[in-house]
Amino acid sequence: MAQQPATRSLGRLSEIAQVMVRHGFGYFLEAHKLTDLLPGRSAEARLAAAESSVGTARGQHLRELLDELGPTFVKFGQLLSTRPDVVPPDIIAELRGLQDDVRPFPFEQAERVIEEDLGNTLGRLFLDFERQPVAAASIGQVHRATLPNGRQVAVKVQRPGAPRQIEADLTLLYQAARLVKERVRALDFIDARALIDEFAREIRQELDYRLEARNAQTFHRNFAADPHVHVPKVYWQYTRARVLTLEWLDGTHVRDVDVTPLTLDERRDLAYLIAETWMTMIFRHGFFHGDPHPANILVLEEAGSIGLVDFGAVGKLTDDDMSKLTRLFIDAAAENVEMLPKRLSDLGVRYPKEREQEFLAELRELYYRYYGASLAEIDPIQVIREAFQLIYTMNLHLPTRYLLLDRAIATVGAVGVELYSDFNVFEVARPYARGLMLERFTPQRMARRARRETIRYAQIFAEAPYQWHDLMEQVRDGQMEVGFVHKGLDDFLESMQRVFNRLVVALIVTGGLIGSSLIGIFAHKGPQVLGINAISIVGFALSAVLGAWLLWGVVRSGRL
C-alpha cells in the first residue's frame, strides 16, 4: 500500500511529460535526459512528431501547457509571472495572460459546503440563492444571493476537495523540483525548492477565506471616504474558512467594457481613476491589491466610480520600506546613479558582489537612455520590460513584496493603455512619489521618526548590560571562540623565518671566526700547519664556507 502514492505520482509525472511533448517541449526532456518519464518505446517517435511544434513563441507554448495541466499549475504560472529573476521577460509577458477560470462544480456540492461551514440550511441562511455561479476559479466559485434583510451579496464557496487536490499537485511540483535540481544543470541558478515553498505558502493561505475577508475589510476601511472607489463590505456572520460573503457590486468587469461608445475623455478618466486608485494604495496606504487584472476591477453603474474584487493577493509596504523607497526616488531624481545599487541593496535586492560594477554600468545605461525625455515620451511598459530583463540577466533576487509591486504597476499600466492609448502610468505616479518625498520630511514626520529612533536606542541601551553579562558568561564557559584571518600573514611569517635563519647562520659564522682566532692565538700544543693550530684552520674553513653560502643567498634574493 505504501507504494501507491509514489506510483500515482510517477504516473502523473509521466502524464505531464506527455503534455509537455504535445506542446513542443520534447526537446527539453531530451536535452536533460528526462525521456524516461515518457511511457513505452514510443518516446523517440513522440519527440520527433513534436519537433515541428517548437517555435519561437516559447511563452505561448508554456502558457498553453499550464492551462491544460490544470488550476494549480495555472496559479503556479501566475506566480512565475512575478519572478523576473527566474523567468525571461518574453515568457513573463505570456504568463500574465493566464486566467484562473475553470469549469464550475455542481450546485449541490456548493450547498453542502455552505451548510457544513455556516451550520444551517441554505433556505434559512439566504432569502434567495442563485444556483448558477457568476464566476468560477481553481479554488472556488461565486454565487449571487440575497440575505434575509434583502441585501444583495456575493458568496464565494470553496471547491470541495480543493485542499486535497492542491496538496497532491504540490507533491508533484516538489518531485519536479527535485528532478530539476538533479538533472537540469542549466537551471542551477534557480532554487526550485524555495520557489515551490513560496508558491505552497501562498496557495495554502488562499484556502482560508478568512484571510481574504480581513484584506477586504482593510481595503474597505482605507477607501471608506473615497466616493470614486467602492470596496465590498464583509458579512462576517456568513464568512468562514470555506465561505466568504461580500456585498454585491453592480457593475461590468473592465475586461468586458465596450469602449467603443465611450468618448476619449471618458476613456482617459477611467484609465487615470484606476491608476490613481493603485497609487493611493501604494504610496499612501502601504497596502495594495496585488492583482489589478481587468477581471478584478468593476466599472460601476454610478458614473465615475469603480469597484474592486478578489483580495487574495495583497502587498504590504512598511514605513521603513517607504523610507527606503523615498531615498531611492531622491537619488534617482538627483541623477545620483552611483548610489542606486546601495539604495536597491537597502531594499533587499541581492546580486553577486563580484558583479557590482557591471550592475552599476547596466543601471547607468538604463538611466541615461531615458535621461532628459519627458514622461509623455517614455513607454512605461518598455521601461518595466527592460528592468525585468536586467533582473533576469544579472540573476538578481528581489523580495517578494517588491516583485508584487512591480507586477501591480505593470498591470495597471497595461490596463490603462488598453483603455486610453496615450496613457502613461509614470505621469500618475510622479505626483504621488513627489508627495511621498515631501511628506517624509515634514516636521511632524521627522519628530515622530526621532521619537521612534530615541525609543529604539533607549531599548538597546537598557538591554546592553544583560547582553554584556551573557557575553561574559559565554567567555567564562568556553562557548565563544575568536578567530583571526590576516591576509598576507603567511608571507610575512615566511619572510621573518628566512631573516632569522640568515641571522643564525651569521652568528655561527661570527662565532666560528672568533673561536678559531682564539684557538690560533692561545693553543700551543696539538697538530700545527704552517705554525697555526689545525683546529683553528678547520674552524676558519667552515666559517668561510658558511659565510660564502650566506652571502650568495643574500645576493640571489636581490636585497643587499
Side-chain angles (χ1 to χ4, degrees), residues 10 57 137 218 247 261 282 294 379 387 389 395 433 450 517 554 558:
L10 187 61
T218 302
E247 174 189 1
I282 294 166
D379 178 3
Q389 181 65 56
N395 190 22
S517 300
V554 173

Side-chain angles (χ1 to χ4, degrees), residues 162 300 372 502 523:
L300 303 183
R502 290 176 180 176

Side-chain angles (χ1 to χ4, degrees), residues 318-391:
T318 65
D319 192 64
D320 186 52
D321 291 332
M322 301 302 282
S323 295
K324 291 173 180 176
L325 280 170
T326 302
R327 287 195 288 269
L328 176 63
F329 290 146
I330 290 172
D331 282 325
E335 303 173 27
N336 192 4
V337 185
E338 307 297 323
M339 287 299 296
L340 294 184
K342 183 183 185 309
R343 297 305 180 207
L344 290 169
S345 178
D346 291 341
L347 288 171
V349 177
R350 295 289 173 260
Y351 53 88
K353 194 67 178 175
E354 62 274 10
R355 301 184 67 183
E356 183 171 358
Q357 289 304 314
E358 181 186 350
F359 181 38
L360 178 58
E362 293 286 349
L363 276 176
R364 190 182 291 114
E365 182 181 347
L366 179 61
Y367 184 86
Y368 286 114
R369 193 177 305 154
Y370 298 99
Y371 177 73
S374 66
L375 288 178
E377 299 171 332
I378 298 175
D379 178 3
I381 307 303
Q382 178 62 27
V383 174
I384 292 171
R385 280 201 199 101
E386 291 180 8
F388 279 1
Q389 181 65 56
L390 176 60
I391 290 168

Side-chain angles (χ1 to χ4, degrees), residues 194-425:
L195 195 63
I196 305 302
D197 285 340
E198 178 187 342
F199 173 63
R201 183 172 59 253
E202 287 186 8
I203 198 168
R204 283 168 179 156
Q205 285 180 346
E206 290 188 32
L207 289 172
D208 188 349
Y209 284 169
R210 290 169 296 188
L211 295 177
E212 183 176 347
R214 284 195 284 273
N215 293 337
Q217 188 173 44
T218 302
F219 285 118
H220 181 80
R221 183 172 59 249
N222 290 345
F223 285 100
D226 192 326
H228 303 292
V229 181
H230 297 278
V231 178
K233 174 186 174 183
V234 180
Y235 290 91
W236 286 103
Q237 311 95 304
Y238 295 85
T239 296
R240 298 292 186 275
R242 296 187 297 166
V243 179
L244 170 62
T245 304
L246 300 172
E247 174 189 1
W248 179 267
L249 297 182
D250 274 315
T252 306
H253 292 288
V254 169
R255 68 177 178 185
D256 299 326
V257 171
D258 182 9
V259 297
T260 307
L262 299 179
T263 66
L264 200 60
D265 286 341
E266 288 174 332
R267 295 185 195 180
R268 181 188 182 281
D269 291 344
L270 179 57
Y272 275 77
L273 174 58
I274 293 171
E276 286 172 356
T277 300
W278 259 262
M279 295 306 121
T280 300
M281 294 180 197
I282 294 166
F283 291 105
R284 292 184 182 166
H285 303 158
F287 186 82
F288 61 93
H289 193 301
D291 189 15
H293 195 274
N296 294 333
I297 306 170
L298 297 172
V299 178
L300 303 183
E301 294 180 352
E302 181 183 345
S305 61
I306 60 172
L308 309 180
V309 296
D310 195 351
F311 310 98
V314 298
K316 303 179 184 68
L317 296 173
T318 65
D319 192 64
D320 186 52
D321 291 332
M322 301 302 282
S323 295
K324 291 173 180 176
L325 280 170
T326 302
R327 287 195 288 269
L328 176 63
F329 290 146
I330 290 172
D331 282 325
E335 303 173 27
N336 192 4
V337 185
E338 307 297 323
M339 287 299 296
L340 294 184
K342 183 183 185 309
R343 297 305 180 207
L344 290 169
S345 178
D346 291 341
L347 288 171
V349 177
R350 295 289 173 260
Y351 53 88
K353 194 67 178 175
E354 62 274 10
R355 301 184 67 183
E356 183 171 358
Q357 289 304 314
E358 181 186 350
F359 181 38
L360 178 58
E362 293 286 349
L363 276 176
R364 190 182 291 114
E365 182 181 347
L366 179 61
Y367 184 86
Y368 286 114
R369 193 177 305 154
Y370 298 99
Y371 177 73
S374 66
L375 288 178
E377 299 171 332
I378 298 175
D379 178 3
I381 307 303
Q382 178 62 27
V383 174
I384 292 171
R385 280 201 199 101
E386 291 180 8
F388 279 1
Q389 181 65 56
L390 176 60
I391 290 168
Y392 179 73
T393 55
M394 288 290 299
N395 190 22
L396 305 183
H397 297 276
L398 279 72
T400 304
R401 61 187 181 280
Y402 296 122
L403 291 168
L404 200 61
L405 177 62
D406 286 338
R407 184 181 76 171
I409 293 176
T411 307
V412 166
V415 171
V417 170
E418 286 291 323
L419 293 170
Y420 178 65
S421 58
D422 292 331
F423 173 80
N424 190 305
V425 72

